[in-house]
Amino acid sequence: MRKTHNIAWVLTISLALASSVYAAASASELLEKLASSNAQDRAYARQYLPRECAQVVPQIVSLLSSDNELVRSTAFQVLAEFANQVSVPGREEDRTLVTTSLMTLLEPHRSPELKQLGLRLLPLVVPQGADLSPLTLLLDDAEMREKARAALVEIGTPDAAAVLQGYLDRASPDFTCAIFYSLAQMKDVASLDASLAYAKSEHATVRAAAGRALAWTGDLAYLETVKQIVAHSDQATR
């Protein structure tokens, strides 16, 4: 019994010493471990990097371009943790830094895969007042616009809703419908006037989507407009 106890004690001390060594590693050393092909190195980097200053985030972002899928996956997990950590009151400066760093993943020269990773991470951290122009540009990209629209809905700020509303005049009828469904989901009061205007669209599907963007309010002031949309709908949209 004593021998078993001693072995357990030795193992505990060994693990504690190993942890202390990695815990004492510098940020640059942890970044090297994160980029390592060694699973144990990546695991320690995954554990300790989120305790570092947010200044390391741009370097972690660069690892999303690694040829090693496991490095990319671990880097993504660390970035997600940073995004969650800084999205609390009192960490506005760090939140801006993380947001700005992740926005670089949406730059035009980036691959679709990197853009998709950026769109998955940004809703975790983007605050009201952030520059959303990179997402606006993606709405012009036929391959990325649906993912950009979904990310804006997840971001959910008035700024994000304004980006979607501002794109209405440039959108195809199908994408106009998608935007109005998004604005309804976001319950965006600022877009109600636009919804009223598009409730008179020549496209029955757009009229129906605009009506939905009015209906969430439950405001009887819009009842007659919705009735008119139904009355003038075609068989496919009725």
Side-chain angles (χ1 to χ4, degrees), residues 135-154:
L135 284 100
T136 305
L137 288 176
L138 288 186
L139 295 177
D140 285 327
D141 184 335
E143 184 179 358
M144 299 301 302
R145 67 167 53 108
E146 274 299 321
K147 294 180 175 62
R149 179 186 65 82
L152 286 164
V153 173
E154 286 188 70

Side-chain angles (χ1 to χ4, degrees), residues 25-36 41-42 44-46 48-49 52-53 55-63 71 75 78 82:
S26 67
S28 60
E29 290 170 333
L30 289 172
L31 287 166
E32 287 180 10
K33 294 182 185 302
L34 183 61
S36 171
D41 282 345
R42 291 196 308 275
Y44 276 111
R46 168 72 181 85
Y48 290 109
L49 263 175
E52 294 292 326
C53 172
Q55 296 292 331
V56 300
V57 166
Q59 292 147 288
I60 301 173
V61 168
S62 69
L63 292 178
V71 171
V78 175
F82 265 109

Side-chain angles (χ1 to χ4, degrees), residues 79-135:
L79 289 169
E81 189 157 343
F82 265 109
N84 282 312
Q85 285 180 359
V86 302
S87 299
V88 296
R91 298 201 64 181
E92 288 76 15
E93 187 173 340
D94 286 342
R95 188 174 185 177
T96 298
L97 171 62
V98 174
T99 299
T100 302
S101 299
L102 293 177
M103 283 290 183
T104 64
L105 294 169
L106 307 186
E107 292 172 347
H109 69 279
R110 298 289 194 178
S111 68
E113 292 75 20
L114 281 177
K115 290 175 182 176
Q116 290 179 48
L117 291 178
L119 291 173
R120 288 172 59 191
L121 289 165
L122 283 165
L124 301 174
V125 69
V126 173
Q128 172 70 5
D131 178 12
L132 299 179
S133 56
L135 284 100

